[in-house]
Amino acid sequence: MTTTVNQMMDGFGQKSRAEENEVDNSVGALKNSWQIWAKQHADYQKENPFSNVIQPGTAHLDPKDPEYGKPKAGTLTEKRGKDAHRHLGKEVEELCRVIRNIGVPAEDGLTRVTFGKLFDTYVTISNKLVGVLLRARKHGLLHFEGEMLWQGRDDHVVITLLE
């Protein structure tokens, strides 16, 4: 069988029926995948109280709910929160260790240090001293007067290690 140049040119650049079906299937699969994701996202947004989508039956936040303010179990947000909590716990432990090392034990058995001395020592360890102090006080590990400590102004404030 002889093939003419015109017949060869007719087939040049055209896809076979199998190739056309493959492209149709991959585009169709992509379209279906996108539609499934879009539906799941729309359903999620209906339950999301922070969404711009206002729907009757939207989840109502109850501050008394034990799950209030917590991420859904198994999410990356939950994992990051747990990792951050662990990291901050280590920073609080390190702060207490530094206070024990540089502080002065009193007759009552508690160790005390001034904020100025602690700041000068701790600044080489971390730049988050005040935040870690506030967290440690929140957990009952130490005590100091005032809401916030400022370098220079509060250098004389005594910090007491309670544990």
Side-chain angles (χ1 to χ4, degrees), residues 33-97:
S33 176
W34 177 259
Q35 287 174 335
I36 290 169
W37 179 86
K39 181 172 179 354
Q40 288 172 342
H41 182 70
D43 292 343
Y44 173 76
Q45 289 298 86
K46 287 177 186 174
E47 295 177 10
N48 181 358
F50 303 107
S51 169
N52 291 334
V53 178
I54 300 173
Q55 297 283 331
T58 299
H60 176 70
L61 296 178
D62 181 10
K64 295 176 185 166
D65 182 5
E67 296 301 310
Y68 178 78
K70 295 182 182 177
K72 289 187 178 182
T75 62
L76 284 175
T77 303
E78 179 190 41
K79 181 187 179 310
R80 286 188 291 263
K82 286 181 179 180
D83 290 346
H85 183 75
R86 227 179 344 268
H87 178 73
L88 286 171
K90 289 178 184 176
E91 286 209 27
V92 168
E93 288 176 20
E94 177 67 18
L95 173 65
C96 292
R97 191 173 14 261

Side-chain angles (χ1 to χ4, degrees), residues 99-112:
I99 292 173
R100 269 189 219 97
N101 289 337
I102 67 169
V104 178
E107 291 178 9
D108 59 4
L110 301 176
T111 303
R112 292 179 174 81

